[in-house]
Amino acid sequence: MKLTVEQVRHVATLARLSLTSEEEARYAEQLSAILDAVNQLQELDVSGVEPTSHATLASSLLREDVTRPSLPPEKSLANAPAKVGTSFAVPKILE
């Protein structure tokens, strides 16, 4: 699918991007190539393919979700520039 420079300008406006004319031409070419690749993928027959949640067949690489002891407040606040009780003190940004 060939995108026009006007379509690229429209997308750039929606994204609040300021593009030069060279960038508009380059992005029109690059976005057209991406849309062509997506169109090729849409032509594939995937009716016999089961949906997957991961691209690989590897089992979960995440650690077991178990409760572990955390740092004591004194140790976690040892290098804090400012603290209030057992909490970090941060500047107020909202009225």
Side-chain angles (χ1 to χ4, degrees):
M1 173 179 202
K2 181 80 170 138
L3 285 180
T4 64
V5 173
E6 289 77 28
Q7 290 170 317
V8 172
R9 283 185 193 131
H10 177 69
V11 172
T13 302
L14 293 174
R16 294 190 168 111
L17 297 174
S18 176
L19 302 177
T20 65
S21 57
E22 294 84 20
E23 289 173 326
E24 289 173 349
R26 182 172 11 124
Y27 291 146
E29 195 175 305
Q30 291 175 350
L31 291 171
S32 295
I34 291 169
L35 291 175
D36 288 340
V38 170
N39 283 335
Q40 283 182 334
L41 291 175
Q42 289 179 339
E43 294 173 5
L44 295 174
D45 178 21
V46 294
S47 58
V49 178
E50 289 186 40
T52 60
S53 61
H54 294 79
T56 64
L57 299 176
S59 61
S60 177
L61 302 176
L62 302 176
R63 65 172 168 78
E64 186 89 16
D65 190 15
V66 294
T67 304
R68 296 182 183 179
S70 60
L71 287 174
E74 305 81 38
K75 193 169 185 178
S76 60
L77 293 169
N79 292 324
K83 55 188 165 192
V84 175
T86 58
S87 303
F88 290 97
V90 295
K92 185 177 180 180
I93 59 169
L94 299 175
E95 296 294 324

